[in-house]
Amino acid sequence: MTRTAVLLLAMLTALPVAAQIYSWKDKDGKTHYSDIPPPSGPVKTIRGTPVPAPVAPPVDEQEEGKAAGEQPAADDGKPKTLAEREEEFRKRRAAEAEAQAKAQQEQEREAERQRFCEDARNQLAALNSGQRMARMNAAGEREFISDEARSADISRLQRQIDENCSN
């Protein structure tokens, strides 16, 4: 009973080995063997079922595609090579990374703008409060802000808020 089960298991695991193998000659006369048939030309099936010949779409369908403004495929129905698929994948990945980086830069710019607006509004509120305010001068000494300097700062901050802070 155990031997029968082991034999059955061995036979089932051997099924994937029964894949098709194709043989063909290229334009230089070199013989190639592969489990994937070539895109065109005569193919000899060494193991497995024969490959049907590729069928081209009727001429009127090709004309309809051109009339509808579609670009004809550059590969003319041939399957893309691994290198072509890899290049397309890399281009898509680079475009996605670029879009993500652009979105992140836009978010950082928006966050910086929000911080600036909040700081400007806080400074404007402090200036409008009427309390005495002081600044450090070039010598590092503390000097109080005059009424003229206060009004100039208020108008400058209000102008910056109006220009940069829409909400």
Side-chain angles (χ1 to χ4, degrees):
M1 173 93 167
T2 307
R3 289 184 187 175
T4 307
V6 170
L7 181 62
L8 181 60
L9 183 63
M11 290 175 65
L12 287 175
T13 57
L15 282 177
V17 177
Q20 296 175 339
I21 298 179
Y22 307 101
S23 171
W24 70 93
K25 290 191 178 189
D26 63 5
K27 63 182 178 184
D28 298 328
K30 289 176 102 179
T31 303
H32 297 273
Y33 299 95
S34 175
D35 60 343
I36 301 171
S40 62
V43 177
K44 179 181 177 186
T45 304
I46 295 176
R47 184 172 68 193
T49 57
V51 176
V55 178
V59 176
D60 57 336
E61 287 182 16
Q62 290 176 348
E63 295 301 322
E64 286 177 15
K66 290 178 184 174
E70 295 176 4
Q71 294 292 331
D75 58 344
D76 296 329
K78 297 177 185 174
K80 295 181 180 177
T81 65
L82 181 60
E84 292 170 336
R85 291 190 313 237
E86 179 73 20
E87 185 174 339
E88 287 177 0
F89 172 73
R90 287 179 192 262
K91 285 180 182 178
R92 281 193 314 268
R93 203 161 102 190
E96 289 171 1
E98 183 178 328
Q100 188 177 20
K102 188 175 181 181
Q104 185 176 1
Q105 285 178 343
E106 185 63 33
Q107 287 176 346
E108 290 171 358
R109 224 181 338 236
E110 180 63 22
E112 182 62 32
R113 188 183 69 79
Q114 292 293 334
R115 280 191 294 274
F116 169 78
C117 291
E118 184 178 347
D119 289 345
R121 286 185 183 120
N122 289 339
Q123 289 176 7
L124 183 62
L127 287 169
N128 284 331
S129 71
Q131 67 185 13
R132 281 182 71 170
M133 297 183 76
R135 290 189 184 146
M136 301 300 264
N137 64 13
E141 300 169 340
R142 191 171 129 178
E143 63 181 31
F144 290 99
I145 298 175
S146 67
D147 289 337
E148 295 83 30
R150 180 186 296 266
S151 63
D153 285 348
I154 288 174
S155 63
R156 178 183 55 82
L157 284 171
Q158 188 62 52
R159 189 173 5 96
Q160 287 179 345
I161 289 171
D162 292 342
E163 290 174 359
N164 300 315
C165 306
S166 60
N167 48 11

